Structures are given as C-alpha cells and as structure tokens.
Amino acid sequence: PEAFTAKDEFGATIVHLAAMVLAGVTISGAGGAVWLRHLEGRLGPTDGAPSVLRKSVLDYVCWAPVVNAANLCLVSLLTARSYS
C-alpha cells in the first residue's frame, strides 16, 4: 500500500522507521544489556572514577563500532537497500 512507501519531508517511510526501531531494540537494547552485563562480570562493579573510565573506554572502542555497523547493515537489509 501507498502508506508503506509514502515518504515524509525527511525521506523516511514507515518501513524504514520500523526497521530502525527493530534494529535499535535488538542491537542497542538487548545487545547493550548483554554487553553491560559482560563488562560488569569481567571488570567488577563500578566503584569510582577509574572503573567508570575503563568501562567507558571499552564501550567506546569495542561495543560502539559493532552497534553502528550492525544498525547500518540491519536497517539496509530490512529495507532492501543496496550498499552501492
């Protein structure tokens, strides 16, 4: 139907919005929860500035690139867009 392909003023469609929501909930939501539990399990509880800094750096270096790449790929796959 036209409702699924009609674009708003920013060029987004309902399908694109749904793909972004699904990717965000699964990757950032569930994946982020698993990642944070892993950090807490490996590095122990947060007990001050040094542990916050260590976890923040690991999050930025290890998890953020995975999330960004996965979101871009998953949204593109779900909306049937090509990478060219």
Side-chain angles (χ1 to χ4, degrees):
E2 187 177 324
F4 293 116
T5 58
K7 294 184 178 185
D8 66 7
E9 69 254 30
F10 302 109
T13 64
I14 295 295
V15 172
H16 190 254
L17 175 64
M20 290 175 62
V21 168
L22 179 63
V25 167
T26 56
I27 298 166
S28 297
V34 169
W35 168 249
L36 292 175
R37 280 192 205 123
H38 172 74
L39 276 181
E40 289 290 317
R42 297 284 288 175
L43 302 177
T46 303
D47 58 358
S51 63
V52 170
L53 180 61
R54 183 171 51 247
K55 290 176 184 177
S56 296
V57 168
L58 285 172
D59 188 57
Y60 182 77
V61 171
C62 299
W63 182 241
V66 171
V67 170
N68 287 332
N71 277 325
L72 290 172
C73 291
L74 186 59
V75 169
S76 293
L77 289 172
L78 291 173
T79 57
R81 294 179 186 232
S82 68
Y83 292 105
S84 58

